[in-house]
Amino acid sequence: MTAGLFLLLGGTASPSVADSSPSASPSEDGDAPTRAGTSFRTATEIEQGQKATAGASTGDYLYWSFPADSGRRPTVKATVKLPDAAQTSSTWQIDVYDGLRRRQACQYGAQTRTAGAEAGSVELSCTLRTVRAWSEQWANDPLPGTYYIRLTATDLGTADLGLPVDAEVRVDAKDVGGAAAVDGSLAEPLVPGIAMTTEEGDESSDDSSTAVLSSLEPDDGWASGWWSDRWVWTTVGGVLAALAGVGGCSLTRGAGQPSRVPPGS
Protein backbone atom coordinates (compact mmCIF):
# COMPACT_ATOMS: atom_id res chain seq x y z
CA MET A 1 0.00 0.00 0.00
CA THR A 2 1.65 3.21 -1.03
CA ALA A 3 1.63 6.16 1.36
CA GLY A 4 0.20 8.46 -1.30
CA LEU A 5 -2.82 6.24 -1.88
CA PHE A 6 -3.49 6.01 1.84
CA LEU A 7 -3.27 9.76 2.42
CA LEU A 8 -5.55 10.35 -0.53
CA LEU A 9 -8.21 8.00 0.81
CA GLY A 10 -7.80 9.44 4.28
CA GLY A 11 -8.72 12.89 2.97
CA THR A 12 -11.82 11.96 1.00
CA ALA A 13 -15.19 13.12 2.15
CA SER A 14 -17.15 10.74 4.35
CA PRO A 15 -20.58 9.48 3.38
CA SER A 16 -23.59 11.51 4.34
CA VAL A 17 -24.86 10.83 7.83
CA ALA A 18 -27.34 12.29 10.25
CA ASP A 19 -26.78 15.97 11.04
CA SER A 20 -27.49 15.62 14.75
CA SER A 21 -24.63 14.42 16.94
CA PRO A 22 -25.42 11.63 19.43
CA SER A 23 -25.59 12.96 22.96
CA ALA A 24 -23.67 11.77 25.97
CA SER A 25 -25.07 9.08 28.23
CA PRO A 26 -24.00 7.74 31.63
CA SER A 27 -21.15 5.23 31.74
CA GLU A 28 -20.02 2.79 34.41
CA ASP A 29 -16.39 3.70 33.68
CA GLY A 30 -15.60 7.37 34.16
CA ASP A 31 -12.81 7.21 31.55
CA ALA A 32 -14.87 5.42 28.92
CA PRO A 33 -16.24 7.49 26.01
CA THR A 34 -19.90 8.47 26.31
CA ARG A 35 -20.34 9.83 22.80
CA ALA A 36 -20.21 8.40 19.30
CA GLY A 37 -19.18 10.13 16.09
CA THR A 38 -21.46 10.60 13.10
CA SER A 39 -18.86 9.94 10.37
CA PHE A 40 -15.43 8.41 9.79
CA ARG A 41 -13.80 11.77 10.49
CA THR A 42 -15.55 12.24 13.83
CA ALA A 43 -15.42 8.62 15.02
CA THR A 44 -14.89 8.34 18.78
CA GLU A 45 -11.66 6.57 19.73
CA ILE A 46 -11.89 3.60 22.12
CA GLU A 47 -9.30 1.25 23.53
CA GLN A 48 -9.50 -2.50 23.25
CA GLY A 49 -11.21 -3.94 26.31
CA GLN A 50 -13.02 -0.66 26.98
CA LYS A 51 -16.80 -0.30 26.89
CA ALA A 52 -18.08 2.84 25.19
CA THR A 53 -21.64 4.14 25.46
CA ALA A 54 -23.69 6.69 23.58
CA GLY A 55 -27.22 7.99 23.50
CA ALA A 56 -28.69 8.63 20.05
CA SER A 57 -31.86 8.47 17.99
CA THR A 58 -33.07 5.73 15.68
CA GLY A 59 -31.85 6.54 12.20
CA ASP A 60 -28.49 7.95 13.34
CA TYR A 61 -25.17 6.51 12.18
CA LEU A 62 -22.83 5.87 15.12
CA TYR A 63 -19.05 5.62 14.59
CA TRP A 64 -16.19 4.51 16.82
CA SER A 65 -12.55 3.71 16.03
CA PHE A 66 -9.96 1.44 17.65
CA PRO A 67 -6.38 0.29 16.93
CA ALA A 68 -5.59 -3.30 15.91
CA ASP A 69 -2.11 -4.74 15.39
CA SER A 70 -0.84 -7.73 13.44
CA GLY A 71 -1.40 -11.18 14.90
CA ARG A 72 -4.62 -10.10 16.64
CA ARG A 73 -8.18 -11.21 15.91
CA PRO A 74 -10.55 -8.42 17.00
CA THR A 75 -14.12 -9.06 18.10
CA VAL A 76 -16.59 -6.18 18.15
CA LYS A 77 -19.73 -6.48 20.27
CA ALA A 78 -22.60 -4.00 20.41
CA THR A 79 -25.81 -3.79 22.43
CA VAL A 80 -28.65 -1.44 21.51
CA LYS A 81 -31.33 -0.70 24.11
CA LEU A 82 -34.49 -0.16 22.10
CA PRO A 83 -37.20 2.40 22.91
CA ASP A 84 -40.37 1.29 24.68
CA ALA A 85 -42.44 3.37 22.28
CA ALA A 86 -41.37 1.40 19.20
CA GLN A 87 -44.31 0.42 17.00
CA THR A 88 -42.62 -1.79 14.42
CA SER A 89 -39.71 -4.21 14.22
CA SER A 90 -36.24 -2.89 13.40
CA THR A 91 -33.11 -4.38 11.87
CA TRP A 92 -29.72 -3.32 13.23
CA GLN A 93 -26.31 -3.88 11.72
CA ILE A 94 -22.71 -3.40 12.77
CA ASP A 95 -19.99 -2.89 10.14
CA VAL A 96 -16.21 -2.73 10.58
CA TYR A 97 -13.88 -0.86 8.21
CA ASP A 98 -10.08 -0.75 8.12
CA GLY A 99 -7.82 2.31 7.86
CA LEU A 100 -8.46 2.53 4.11
CA ARG A 101 -12.21 2.43 4.77
CA ARG A 102 -12.56 -0.99 3.21
CA ARG A 103 -15.41 -2.94 4.75
CA GLN A 104 -14.06 -6.06 6.45
CA ALA A 105 -16.00 -9.31 6.40
CA CYS A 106 -16.93 -10.95 9.69
CA GLN A 107 -15.42 -14.39 10.17
CA TYR A 108 -18.33 -15.25 12.43
CA GLY A 109 -20.87 -13.53 14.67
CA ALA A 110 -24.36 -12.03 14.40
CA GLN A 111 -23.57 -8.92 12.39
CA THR A 112 -27.23 -8.18 11.56
CA ARG A 113 -30.27 -8.85 13.72
CA THR A 114 -33.95 -7.96 13.64
CA ALA A 115 -35.76 -7.05 16.86
CA GLY A 116 -39.49 -7.07 17.30
CA ALA A 117 -41.48 -4.05 18.42
CA GLU A 118 -41.66 -5.36 21.99
CA ALA A 119 -37.96 -6.27 22.24
CA GLY A 120 -36.00 -4.43 24.90
CA SER A 121 -32.57 -4.72 23.29
CA VAL A 122 -30.63 -6.31 20.45
CA GLU A 123 -27.07 -7.70 20.60
CA LEU A 124 -24.64 -7.79 17.68
CA SER A 125 -21.14 -9.16 17.24
CA CYS A 126 -18.48 -9.38 14.55
CA THR A 127 -15.22 -11.31 14.77
CA LEU A 128 -12.80 -10.21 12.07
CA ARG A 129 -10.15 -12.26 10.36
CA THR A 130 -6.71 -12.18 11.93
CA VAL A 131 -4.87 -8.92 11.21
CA ARG A 132 -1.93 -9.60 8.89
CA ALA A 133 1.40 -7.78 9.00
CA TRP A 134 1.52 -7.55 5.19
CA SER A 135 -0.67 -8.30 2.19
CA GLU A 136 -0.79 -7.91 -1.57
CA GLN A 137 -2.20 -4.62 -2.87
CA TRP A 138 -5.12 -6.35 -4.57
CA ALA A 139 -6.13 -8.28 -1.47
CA ASN A 140 -8.68 -7.18 1.10
CA ASP A 141 -6.89 -8.67 4.10
CA PRO A 142 -7.13 -6.78 7.42
CA LEU A 143 -3.89 -4.88 8.06
CA PRO A 144 -2.46 -3.11 11.14
CA GLY A 145 -3.91 0.32 11.82
CA THR A 146 -7.12 2.10 12.76
CA TYR A 147 -10.43 0.29 12.43
CA TYR A 148 -13.87 1.89 12.34
CA ILE A 149 -17.13 0.61 13.79
CA ARG A 150 -20.43 1.76 12.30
CA LEU A 151 -23.70 0.94 14.03
CA THR A 152 -27.06 1.81 12.52
CA ALA A 153 -30.59 0.58 11.82
CA THR A 154 -30.85 -0.71 8.25
CA ASP A 155 -34.60 -1.37 8.31
CA LEU A 156 -36.83 0.88 10.39
CA GLY A 157 -40.44 1.95 10.28
CA THR A 158 -41.12 5.60 9.56
CA ALA A 159 -43.14 5.94 12.76
CA ASP A 160 -40.10 4.91 14.83
CA LEU A 161 -37.62 7.39 13.35
CA GLY A 162 -36.10 9.71 15.95
CA LEU A 163 -36.91 7.62 19.01
CA PRO A 164 -34.15 7.61 21.67
CA VAL A 165 -31.84 4.60 21.96
CA ASP A 166 -28.77 3.75 24.04
CA ALA A 167 -25.82 1.93 22.49
CA GLU A 168 -22.86 0.11 24.01
CA VAL A 169 -19.82 -1.20 22.12
CA ARG A 170 -16.76 -3.13 23.22
CA VAL A 171 -13.73 -4.43 21.33
CA ASP A 172 -11.59 -7.35 22.44
CA ALA A 173 -8.76 -9.05 20.56
CA LYS A 174 -7.27 -12.53 20.74
CA ASP A 175 -3.55 -13.04 20.18
CA VAL A 176 -3.36 -15.73 17.49
CA GLY A 177 0.43 -16.05 17.63
CA GLY A 178 2.84 -17.43 15.07
CA ALA A 179 0.16 -19.32 13.15
CA ALA A 180 -0.81 -16.03 11.49
CA ALA A 181 2.72 -14.72 10.91
CA VAL A 182 3.73 -13.74 7.37
CA ASP A 183 7.02 -12.81 5.75
CA GLY A 184 6.73 -9.05 5.38
CA SER A 185 5.37 -5.98 7.13
CA LEU A 186 4.02 -2.53 6.36
CA ALA A 187 6.33 0.45 6.67
CA GLU A 188 3.67 2.25 8.72
CA PRO A 189 0.30 1.21 10.17
CA LEU A 190 -2.79 2.35 8.26
CA VAL A 191 -3.64 5.33 10.44
CA PRO A 192 -5.46 8.14 8.58
CA GLY A 193 -3.31 11.19 7.93
CA ILE A 194 -5.57 14.19 8.40
CA ALA A 195 -4.43 17.22 10.38
CA MET A 196 -6.87 16.97 13.29
CA THR A 197 -4.47 16.75 16.24
CA THR A 198 -0.82 17.71 16.73
CA GLU A 199 2.01 16.20 18.68
CA GLU A 200 3.44 18.12 21.62
CA GLY A 201 6.55 20.06 20.74
CA ASP A 202 7.89 23.44 19.81
CA GLU A 203 4.88 25.34 18.48
CA SER A 204 7.14 27.82 16.71
CA SER A 205 8.57 25.06 14.51
CA ASP A 206 6.74 24.02 11.36
CA ASP A 207 7.91 20.43 11.92
CA SER A 208 6.22 20.14 15.33
CA SER A 209 2.81 19.33 13.85
CA THR A 210 2.12 15.86 12.55
CA ALA A 211 -0.92 15.00 10.47
CA VAL A 212 -2.76 12.48 12.59
CA LEU A 213 -6.46 11.66 12.82
CA SER A 214 -6.23 8.71 15.20
CA SER A 215 -4.07 9.13 18.29
CA LEU A 216 -4.60 5.66 19.77
CA GLU A 217 -2.23 2.72 19.34
CA PRO A 218 -1.83 -0.72 20.98
CA ASP A 219 -0.61 -0.71 24.57
CA ASP A 220 2.77 -2.20 23.60
CA GLY A 221 3.13 -0.16 20.39
CA TRP A 222 2.66 -0.97 16.73
CA ALA A 223 4.17 -4.14 15.29
CA SER A 224 4.12 -5.53 18.81
CA GLY A 225 3.64 -9.02 17.41
CA TRP A 226 7.03 -9.25 15.67
CA TRP A 227 8.04 -11.88 18.26
CA SER A 228 5.81 -14.94 18.31
CA ASP A 229 5.91 -18.65 19.00
CA ARG A 230 6.74 -19.13 15.33
CA TRP A 231 10.32 -18.12 16.14
CA VAL A 232 10.44 -20.60 19.04
CA TRP A 233 9.22 -23.52 16.96
CA THR A 234 11.54 -22.56 14.09
CA THR A 235 14.54 -22.57 16.47
CA VAL A 236 13.50 -25.83 18.11
CA GLY A 237 12.99 -27.43 14.70
CA GLY A 238 16.44 -26.29 13.57
CA VAL A 239 18.09 -27.70 16.69
CA LEU A 240 16.29 -31.04 16.33
CA ALA A 241 17.24 -31.25 12.66
CA ALA A 242 20.90 -30.61 13.52
CA LEU A 243 20.88 -33.27 16.25
CA ALA A 244 19.23 -35.74 13.88
CA GLY A 245 21.88 -35.03 11.27
CA VAL A 246 24.73 -35.57 13.73
CA GLY A 247 23.17 -38.77 15.03
CA GLY A 248 22.58 -40.12 11.52
CA CYS A 249 26.14 -39.35 10.50
CA SER A 250 27.51 -41.15 13.54
CA LEU A 251 25.40 -44.24 12.86
CA THR A 252 26.39 -44.28 9.21
CA ARG A 253 30.10 -44.04 9.93
CA GLY A 254 29.89 -46.79 12.57
CA ALA A 255 28.10 -49.20 10.24
CA GLY A 256 30.53 -48.61 7.34
CA GLN A 257 33.72 -49.51 9.19
CA PRO A 258 35.03 -53.10 8.43
CA SER A 259 35.23 -55.44 11.38
CA ARG A 260 38.72 -56.49 12.52
CA VAL A 261 39.58 -60.21 12.01
CA PRO A 262 42.28 -61.69 14.25
CA PRO A 263 45.43 -62.79 12.33
CA GLY A 264 45.69 -66.50 11.46
CA SER A 265 41.99 -67.17 11.77
Side-chain angles (χ1 to χ4, degrees):
M1 305 293 176
T2 62
L5 174 60
F6 175 65
L7 294 177
L8 177 61
L9 293 178
T12 56
S14 58
S16 59
V17 293
D19 294 333
S20 58
S21 298
S23 59
S25 61
S27 174
E28 297 178 0
D29 187 352
D31 297 331
T34 58
R35 183 181 297 272
T38 56
S39 68
F40 288 101
R41 287 176 175 267
T42 61
T44 299
E45 296 179 340
I46 60 175
E47 297 277 4
Q48 291 186 12
Q50 182 181 49
K51 183 180 71 174
T53 60
S57 301
T58 53
D60 286 344
Y61 286 81
L62 307 182
Y63 287 81
W64 294 268
S65 66
F66 66 93
D69 204 1
S70 58
R72 306 298 198 271
R73 182 183 297 163
T75 296
V76 179
K77 295 183 179 181
T79 301
V80 182
K81 297 181 180 178
L82 303 174
D84 297 333
Q87 301 179 18
T88 61
S89 61
S90 58
T91 301
W92 293 81
Q93 180 169 311
I94 188 170
D95 296 304
V96 183
Y97 299 81
D98 65 6
L100 295 177
R101 300 185 187 177
R102 302 177 304 179
R103 183 176 178 274
Q104 292 295 318
C106 298
Q107 191 173 27
Y108 54 85
Q111 182 182 8
T112 303
R113 274 188 171 177
T114 299
E118 298 180 355
S121 63
V122 60
E123 296 183 355
L124 308 168
S125 66
C126 175
T127 298
L128 300 177
R129 294 171 295 167
T130 303
V131 179
R132 296 166 57 90
W134 181 86
S135 176
E136 295 287 351
Q137 296 185 9
W138 48 262
N140 193 37
D141 297 322
L143 296 169
T146 301
Y147 283 75
Y148 296 93
I149 305 170
R150 184 177 72 181
L151 175 65
T152 188
T154 59
D155 187 9
L156 188 68
T158 305
D160 294 334
L161 283 173
L163 294 179
V165 294
D166 292 322
E168 296 179 358
V169 295
R170 179 186 175 93
V171 180
D172 295 291
K174 178 181 179 181
D175 187 357
V176 177
V182 296
D183 295 329
S185 62
L186 298 179
E188 295 291 341
L190 300 180
V191 177
I194 306 297
M196 297 292 290
T197 60
T198 58
E199 293 182 349
E200 296 182 359
D202 184 5
E203 296 181 357
S204 61
S205 174
D206 295 335
D207 297 332
S208 62
S209 298
T210 302
V212 175
L213 177 60
S214 177
S215 61
L216 292 181
E217 63 178 31
D219 294 336
D220 45 1
W222 292 110
S224 55
W226 69 271
W227 172 262
S228 68
D229 54 2
R230 182 185 184 187
W231 295 96
V232 176
W233 289 110
T234 301
T235 303
V236 171
V239 172
L240 293 177
L243 293 177
V246 172
C249 182
S250 300
L251 292 174
T252 302
R253 291 183 59 186
Q257 292 180 353
S259 58
R260 295 184 178 182
V261 179
S265 59

